[in-house]
Amino acid sequence: MNEQHKIFEKYFSPNNLRLAWERMVRSNGKDIKDFFGIEIYSANLEKNLARLSQAIINGEFKPQRPFKYYEPKASKTHRTKSVLSIEDALVYQAIANTVATANYKRLEENNRFVFGSVLHPEVEKGLDLLDEIDADFYFFEYYIPLYNKFINSVNTEIANTNIRFKLETDITGFFDCIPHSKLLITLNKFGVEPEILDLLNDCLNIYSGTKESVTPGVGIPQGPAASFFYANVFLTDLDYEISQRGYTYYRYMDDIRIYEENEEELTEALVMIDNFLKGRALSLNTKKTSIEEIGEDRESEKLTFLTGYGEEIDEYETKAINEDKQKQIYLSEQSSDNDQEKKYIIKTIEGAELINYCKKEIAEIEKYLLDKFKDISNPVFPLRTLVNDEQLKKEIIHIAYRWRSSNSILKNIDNPILNKDLIEIWLFCVEHFCWKANHFCWNLNQYGANDFISLKLNEIIPRFKSFEWVRYQILSNMATVQNFNTTELREIFRKSKEEPSGLVRLGYYMILLKHLKPDHQLFASLRQAIKDDKEPYIKNRLSTFLSRKSINEKVDEIKFWFGL
C-alpha cells in the first residue's frame, strides 16, 4: 500500500465512513439532509460504505454539485443553503471527524470563550465510539445550552460595574466568503495531509456558490455540520490573537463581543480584528459593528436566555415547579425527534396539572395576540411600526412557538384549543415575518383542512415570487393538511411544469404525490415529469426513491425532506 492509500485509509476506511454516517444522520437541520439518499443508502449500509471507501481510496470518488436553494433572512436578503448528496456528505464529515479527534484537546482550550459549534466530548474517542453500546455520536454539544453559556458570560460582564464599554461585531457573509486557500493553510497547521487538502479543495470548489454559479476558491456550504467545524477552525488564529492580548472576549460563531473599562482598548481591538480579517479576504459587517458605553440600567443591557435551558436548569426547574401560578415551564413539542434536545429540556409537570398549565398558557397568548392585532383588518393598522419593532417580532415568534407547543401537548393528552380568530394573525405573520414562515405555517397546520386557510395561502404565494423558501413552506403546509379536487390538482401539475425553482417544484410534487392515486392518469404524468425534471438532484433522488418505495409509504418519507 502506497503512502496516499495509507492516508486515505486513515480518513475513509469503512469504519471512518460509518462514524461519519452516525454523525450525519443525527446532525441538526433537516432542511439540508439528503433524506432520499439516506433512505436508499441505509437499505444496504455496510456494503455501500465499503464500496464508497474503496472508491475514495482508489481515487475514483468525484464530488457532485449539491442541490441549492435560497432561505430568507430577517433583512429580506438571502442565504444559500446546500443539500449535499449522501456520499458527499459522508466524505465531508469524515474529514472533519478525523481532524476534530486529532485536535480535540487543542480546540477544547477555547471553550471558555468560544461557544458556537463546540465539539461534543465524545468526539475525542474517535473510532472507539463504534465499539460502545448506546454511544453518543453527536458531533457538537447541543446548541441551546451553549448559546445560554454565551449569554451568561456576556451578562456577567455587563453586571460588572468596572466594565464601561462594549464592542459588538460580526463578519459579513462569513460562510460564503471564506477563501479556500486560507482555510486549507489553517487545516494544514492542524495536521491535515496535502492529499486530503487536495480532495477537500476539489469538494469545496464544487460545493461553492449559489444555485446559478460556482465561486471557485471561495465559500463553504451552509448547512452541513462539518462546515461549522471548518468555520470555527478558520477563526482559531483570531481567537488566539485576541485572547493573548488579554481582552475580555466571547464568540458565538462569527458573533463577537468584547468588554473593557475604556473605549481606547476596544478601538484597538476593533482595528486588530478588522486587519486580521482583511488579511484573510473577510470583512466586518459595519452595520452590526459598534463600540458603545454600557448604560446605567445594566439589567436592561443584558441579553435574554433561551427559556428553560442552560447551566441554570436545576435552579430554574426548582423555581418553576414550586412557585405559584406565575411559574414558567419550558414545554417541548412532543413530536420532537431530536434526542439530543430531550436531554436538556426541563422535566415538565404531568397529568391534570400539565393540562391546566397548557390551557392557561394558550388563554394568555390568545389575549395578548388578539389585543395586539385587534385592528389587523383596519387600513390604519400600524403595520410598518410593528414589522420594524425588533423586540416585538422576537416576542411574537416566541409566543407562536409557545402556542404551538401547548396545543401539541394537548392534542396528545386532551383536546387542542384552536381559536379560529387567531388564523388571520398566523396568516399575517406568514406574510410579514416571512423568514419564519415555516413556524407560522406549522401553527396553521394545527387547524387541519380549512378552506379559508387554503384560500388565503393561495393569495399569499404570488407575493413571494422572489422567495422560493417561503413559497415552499406554504405549499408544504397545503400538502400536509389541505384537500384538493381533481381540477385543482391538474392546475398544480401545470404550475409545477412552469415553475423555475426546484424547491417550489418539490412543494408542488408533494401535493400531487399525496393526493393522486397511483391508478390516476395524472399520476403517470407526474412520474414522468419527475424523471424529466431539470434539477438533477430532484430527478435522480426522487425518481429513484419512487421506484423503491410503495405508493402508500412514499408520502411519509417525502415529508421529511426539508424538515416536514
Side-chain angles (χ1 to χ4, degrees):
M1 181 182 294
N2 62 34
E3 188 63 26
Q4 178 168 311
H5 274 60
K6 290 180 181 178
I7 293 170
F8 274 45
E9 180 74 22
K10 171 184 172 182
Y11 286 79
F12 306 115
S13 69
N15 277 345
N16 276 295
L17 292 177
R18 178 58 185 261
L19 182 59
W21 167 272
E22 299 293 350
R23 294 241 164 90
M24 183 268 299
V25 297
R26 287 172 173 79
S27 63
N28 288 324
K30 282 184 174 182
D31 57 343
I32 49 78
K33 288 184 185 177
D34 174 12
F35 277 97
F36 297 139
I38 290 172
E39 193 275 336
I40 293 168
Y41 226 70
S42 62
N44 201 341
L45 182 59
E46 299 304 327
K47 182 177 180 180
N48 285 327
L49 293 176
R51 178 185 53 77
L52 176 59
S53 172
Q54 197 61 47
I56 300 168
I57 293 171
N58 292 342
E60 298 167 358
F61 170 78
K62 301 295 180 186
Q64 301 176 44
R65 181 77 172 151
F67 176 68
K68 290 178 175 280
Y69 65 93
Y70 296 123
E71 181 180 87
K73 303 178 185 178
S75 63
K76 301 294 181 69
T77 58
H78 281 128
R79 63 170 57 89
T80 301
K81 302 294 283 289
S82 300
V83 183
L84 302 184
S85 70
I86 180 66
E87 294 193 342
D88 285 273
L90 290 173
V91 169
Y92 198 49
Q93 183 64 49
I95 296 173
N97 283 348
T98 304
V99 179
T101 297
N103 294 277
Y104 180 82
K105 289 295 186 185
R106 178 177 177 180
L107 293 167
E108 186 186 31
E109 293 176 358
N110 293 345
N111 288 355
R112 287 181 294 276
F113 52 84
V114 174
F115 300 101
S117 300
V118 171
L119 291 173
H120 195 286
E122 298 291 273
V123 168
E124 187 177 13
K125 296 179 180 179
L127 295 179
D128 290 343
L129 270 177
L130 295 174
D131 297 325
E132 294 187 4
I133 299 174
D134 297 326
D136 203 334
F137 287 108
Y138 288 100
F139 193 47
F140 297 127
E141 293 191 44
Y142 191 52
Y143 75 97
I144 291 183
L146 289 174
Y147 182 77
N148 275 355
K149 288 180 181 179
F150 172 67
I151 297 299
N152 188 58
S153 298
V154 167
N155 289 348
T156 299
E157 298 302 331
I158 292 173
N160 181 355
T161 55
N162 291 324
I163 297 296
R164 293 183 54 223
F165 293 90
K166 60 182 179 180
L167 163 62
E168 301 178 0
T169 189
D170 68 13
I171 302 171
T172 298
F174 181 36
F175 279 63
D176 292 333
C177 295
I178 292 176
H180 299 169
S181 59
K182 298 292 185 180
L183 174 60
L184 298 177
I185 289 170
T186 302
L187 288 171
N188 184 245
K189 294 178 183 177
F190 276 71
V192 182
E193 298 84 350
E195 293 84 354
I196 300 300
L197 296 176
D198 286 343
L199 173 60
L200 182 58
N201 186 56
D202 290 342
C203 291
L204 291 176
N205 278 323
I206 293 295
Y207 303 159
S208 71
T210 64
K211 290 197 304 181
E212 289 77 19
S213 62
V214 298
T215 53
V218 179
I220 62 176
Q222 291 200 49
S227 285
F228 290 89
F229 171 73
Y230 297 129
N232 252 351
V233 168
F234 187 74
L235 292 180
T236 52
D237 284 343
L238 176 63
D239 297 332
Y240 178 81
E241 290 292 331
I242 296 177
S243 64
Q244 289 303 300
R245 298 190 186 201
Y247 293 117
T248 305
Y249 164 69
Y250 302 105
R251 177 170 70 80
Y252 191 92
M253 293 311 297
D254 64 327
D255 183 355
I256 295 171
R257 310 290 178 100
I258 303 180
Y259 298 85
E260 291 297 335
E261 295 180 23
N262 63 73
E263 187 174 1
E264 290 74 17
E265 289 184 352
L266 290 183
T267 300
E268 292 175 2
L270 178 59
V271 170
M272 188 275 290
I273 295 170
D274 188 40
N275 290 340
F276 177 94
L277 294 174
K278 285 177 178 174
R280 288 155 180 79
L282 297 173
S283 60
L284 292 176
N285 186 335
T286 56
K287 291 184 178 180
K288 295 184 178 180
T289 299
S290 65
I291 296 176
E292 296 178 353
E293 186 170 7
I294 297 174
E296 292 185 6
D297 183 3
R298 291 189 173 244
E299 285 301 313
S300 67
E301 291 270 359
K302 291 182 178 180
L303 305 181
T304 304
F305 287 99
L306 295 175
T307 307
Y309 288 96
E311 292 183 315
E312 73 283 13
I313 280 182
D314 291 338
E315 175 187 358
Y316 185 91
E317 183 177 2
T318 301
K319 288 182 179 179
I321 294 177
N322 293 332
E323 286 183 354
D324 60 19
K325 295 181 180 180
Q326 298 301 315
K327 61 188 172 186
Q328 296 293 311
I329 298 174
Y330 179 81
L331 299 176
S332 171
E333 291 181 85
Q334 295 195 351
S335 60
S336 172
D337 66 341
N338 191 323
D339 290 332
Q340 192 178 27
E341 175 187 17
K342 294 173 184 176
K343 296 179 181 179
Y344 294 96
I345 293 174
I346 290 175
K347 293 180 180 179
T348 62
I349 53 181
E350 297 178 351
E353 190 177 5
L354 176 58
I355 292 173
N356 290 334
Y357 178 85
C358 289
K359 289 181 177 179
K360 179 176 178 292
E361 181 92 339
I362 291 169
E364 291 177 353
I365 291 169
E366 284 183 0
K367 183 177 184 301
Y368 173 88
L369 289 174
L370 292 173
D371 179 66
K372 185 67 66 176
F373 290 89
K374 62 183 177 182
D375 297 321
I376 193 172
S377 300
N378 194 315
V380 299
F381 181 74
L383 170 61
R384 188 55 53 194
T385 301
L386 187 149
V387 298
N388 288 333
D389 188 331
E390 295 300 322
Q391 188 58 40
L392 179 60
K393 286 189 289 189
K394 290 179 181 179
E395 188 172 355
I396 291 172
I397 290 167
H398 181 59
I399 281 173
Y401 172 81
R402 287 167 53 199
W403 181 88
R404 184 171 70 250
S405 299
S406 295
N407 265 315
S408 294
I409 291 170
L410 289 180
K411 185 177 181 179
N412 287 327
I413 61 177
D414 193 65
N415 292 304
I417 301 172
L418 303 172
N419 186 339
K420 292 186 178 181
D421 290 340
L422 295 182
I423 289 176
E424 192 171 0
I425 296 174
W426 302 138
L427 289 165
F428 175 92
C429 292
V430 169
E431 184 170 3
H432 296 286
F433 303 159
C434 65
W435 65 98
K436 291 290 185 181
N438 55 336
H439 287 272
F440 297 110
C441 282
W442 294 339
N443 283 19
L444 290 169
N445 281 353
Q446 299 272 344
Y447 294 89
N450 182 292
D451 290 341
F452 177 75
I453 292 175
S454 182
L455 174 66
K456 291 299 181 180
L457 289 177
N458 274 307
E459 291 177 1
I460 290 174
I461 286 178
R463 300 171 195 169
F464 288 96
K465 184 177 181 181
S466 300
F467 295 88
E468 60 176 345
W469 181 86
V470 178
R471 289 189 288 152
Y472 173 79
Q473 296 301 331
I474 293 172
L475 291 171
S476 67
N477 165 275
M478 299 172 79
T480 303
V481 298
Q482 304 304 332
N483 296 320
F484 301 87
N485 59 40
T486 301
T487 301
E488 290 170 330
L489 292 173
R490 289 192 180 279
E491 181 60 25
I492 288 170
F493 177 77
R494 295 187 184 103
K495 288 180 179 179
S496 73
K497 299 288 288 184
E498 299 170 357
E499 175 57 51
S501 164
L503 186 63
V504 177
R505 287 200 304 279
L506 180 64
Y508 285 130
Y509 291 158
M510 288 180 58
I511 293 174
L512 295 167
L513 285 167
K514 179 172 183 179
H515 294 278
L516 286 173
K517 294 183 178 180
D519 59 355
H520 196 288
Q521 177 269 327
L522 192 57
F523 187 88
S525 300
L526 172 62
R527 186 187 292 273
Q528 188 60 49
I530 291 172
K531 290 181 179 179
D532 295 339
D533 195 280
K534 55 190 174 185
E535 169 54 58
Y537 187 80
I538 291 178
K539 175 175 65 177
N540 295 335
R541 289 303 187 192
L542 192 52
S543 60
T544 301
F545 178 83
L546 287 175
S547 69
R548 293 172 59 92
K549 301 288 288 185
S550 75
I551 298 306
N552 291 332
E553 293 175 303
K554 69 183 184 309
V555 174
D556 285 339
E557 294 289 341
I558 290 167
K559 71 181 182 180
F560 282 107
W561 206 25
F562 295 108
L564 295 174

